[in-house]
Amino acid sequence: MAVRLLNFVYEIVRFSFHGKHRSRTAVAPLERLKILLQVQNPLNPKYSGMVQGLRYIWNAEGIRGFFKGNGANCARIIPNSAVKFYSYEQASSSILWLYRRQTGDENAEHTPFSRLAAGACAGIIAMSATYPMDMVRGRLTVQTEDSPNKYRGMVHGLSTIIREEGPKAVYKGWLPSVIGVIPYVGLNFAVYETLKDILTKNKTFGLSDGSELNVVTKLACGAAAGTVGQTVAYPLDVVRRRMQMVGWKDASPVISGDGRITAPVHYSGMVDAFRKTVQNEGFIALYRGLVPNSVKVVPSIAIAFVTYEVLRDLMGVDFKISD
């Protein structure tokens, strides 16, 4: 079983490099626009929506502008995907074992809450392991045509941040990221697995005993899971991005101002970031960039879940996320 698990993780890693690299690159323009909308200064707005924002990037920076920060984002795929899915299987098995011991029912199945807990554990572990790469990716993404040529790439960006702001700086915004993992990753797994169980048990679409949902139905379940998770957690993602920009002395003029001057805002912590964002720009600021994020996240998560199950079946791993 251990060998098969290792082979399974290897296949996840191998697919991540080839498949997700392409999918991440395909939605890179939307990812960059989302982050720019999240952190832009309301006194110097450049991006007012998805279509206008993409057009502005094209006119100001050309096609290369769509892919700033994409290299660092793709580099995160291998460790993040492998750690997340492997951690989920381990956490899921451990939680189910504890649940069966507590209830005394050896045939007990996962509940939505236990799936949420397993998904949250996996998300926190994977996110923490790769967070410095996400931090520098955020800054690379925000550099615009008005920015000094500060960060030349992921390695240069990490070394510069550590040298100028200290080692702790690479974990700015980590707390809202951890909190956001619970509704985001946790609900993704919980909603996805629960929808699958409901459809299977009710024999929807003419399913017979022991038959599996088709790929289209699984895609729909994954899309629904992604929509719920990313919408609930989105304000925490906005706060995380804004906190990542704190201390960047050569920050682009696009960085959020305080509503009176164009200088970047400094936050003392997560609560302060929430307070100043709402105070200076209104509650709607916590959902800036949600539209391009939804366009890219929903199909991405749906495809990720289906690919995960296909690979698991091909490798012959004889357990499911819901087992």
Side-chain angles (χ1 to χ4, degrees):
M1 185 65 178
V3 173
R4 296 173 76 182
L5 256 179
L6 289 174
N7 286 335
F8 173 58
V9 173
Y10 167 75
E11 288 299 321
I12 288 290
V13 170
R14 188 167 67 85
F15 169 77
S16 294
F17 182 75
H18 294 289
K20 283 194 175 182
H21 175 81
R22 296 186 182 93
S23 64
R24 292 288 178 93
T25 300
V27 299
L30 293 172
E31 176 67 15
R32 184 174 186 228
L33 177 61
K34 178 201 77 172
I35 296 175
L36 288 169
L37 286 167
Q38 287 177 331
V39 303
Q40 77 169 340
N41 192 326
L43 296 181
N44 186 28
K46 297 180 179 180
Y47 316 96
S48 59
M50 188 168 70
V51 175
Q52 182 276 336
L54 291 173
R55 186 183 297 117
Y56 184 94
I57 294 173
W58 171 267
N59 292 334
E61 303 175 65
I63 192 168
R64 293 183 64 182
F66 289 139
F67 301 98
K68 284 187 176 178
N70 185 55
N73 194 26
C74 289
R76 293 172 54 245
I77 292 172
I78 294 176
N80 188 275
S81 296
V83 172
K84 180 167 61 178
F85 282 110
Y86 181 75
S87 297
Y88 182 81
E89 294 295 355
Q90 296 303 302
S92 180
S93 299
S94 299
I95 290 172
L96 184 58
W97 179 79
L98 287 172
Y99 179 64
R100 286 173 174 174
R101 285 197 62 185
Q102 289 178 350
T103 59
D105 182 3
E106 291 300 320
N107 297 316
E109 297 293 335
H110 267 298
T111 65
F113 179 78
S114 66
R115 290 179 184 136
L116 176 63
C121 289
I124 290 172
I125 293 170
M127 181 274 298
S128 298
T130 60
Y131 192 81
M133 300 170 75
D134 183 73
M135 161 69 174
V136 73
R137 192 263 294 212
R139 292 199 177 183
L140 286 168
T141 299
V142 168
Q143 291 184 146
T144 70
E145 76 281 4
D146 298 325
S147 305
N149 186 20
K150 182 171 178 59
Y151 304 126
R152 297 190 294 271
M154 185 175 66
V155 175
H156 178 256
L158 281 172
S159 61
T160 302
I161 292 171
I162 292 172
R163 184 178 67 252
E164 295 185 353
E165 303 173 46
K168 291 183 179 180
V170 297
Y171 277 92
K172 287 179 179 177
W174 178 81
L175 181 58
S177 295
V178 169
I179 296 174
V181 160
I182 297 174
Y184 184 64
V185 178
L187 284 175
N188 282 346
F189 280 108
V191 174
Y192 177 73
E193 288 291 340
T194 301
L195 284 174
K196 276 180 53 187
D197 281 353
I198 291 173
L199 293 175
T200 301
K201 290 176 180 178
N202 292 336
K203 295 183 173 57
T204 309
F205 307 121
L207 287 175
S208 58
D209 291 337
S211 61
E212 290 284 333
L213 297 173
N214 60 38
V215 173
V216 174
T217 305
K218 289 179 180 179
L219 280 170
C221 291
T227 300
V228 173
Q230 65 100 21
T231 300
V232 171
Y234 196 78
L236 289 158
D237 188 56
V238 171
V239 167
R240 169 180 64 132
R241 291 297 176 197
R242 294 191 171 203
M243 291 178 69
Q244 287 178 345
M245 306 302 152
V246 173
W248 186 8
K249 67 179 182 180
D250 294 322
S252 163
V254 76
I255 300 301
S256 181
D258 67 357
R260 297 184 298 276
I261 59 176
T262 58
V265 174
H266 288 270
Y267 307 112
S268 61
M270 183 183 71
V271 175
D272 187 51
F274 267 110
R275 181 181 62 81
K276 287 180 177 177
T277 297
V278 175
Q279 177 182 310
N280 296 333
E281 304 168 55
F283 184 79
I284 194 66
L286 296 175
Y287 283 92
R288 283 184 178 159
L290 181 62
V291 173
N293 188 63
S294 297
V295 171
K296 78 172 186 64
V297 165
V298 173
S300 176
I301 290 177
I303 292 170
F305 275 115
V306 173
T307 304
Y308 167 70
E309 295 209 350
V310 170
L311 281 174
R312 186 200 62 210
D313 293 339
L314 288 174
M315 290 302 299
V317 178
D318 55 358
F319 58 84
K320 299 181 181 180
I321 289 176
S322 56
D323 285 343

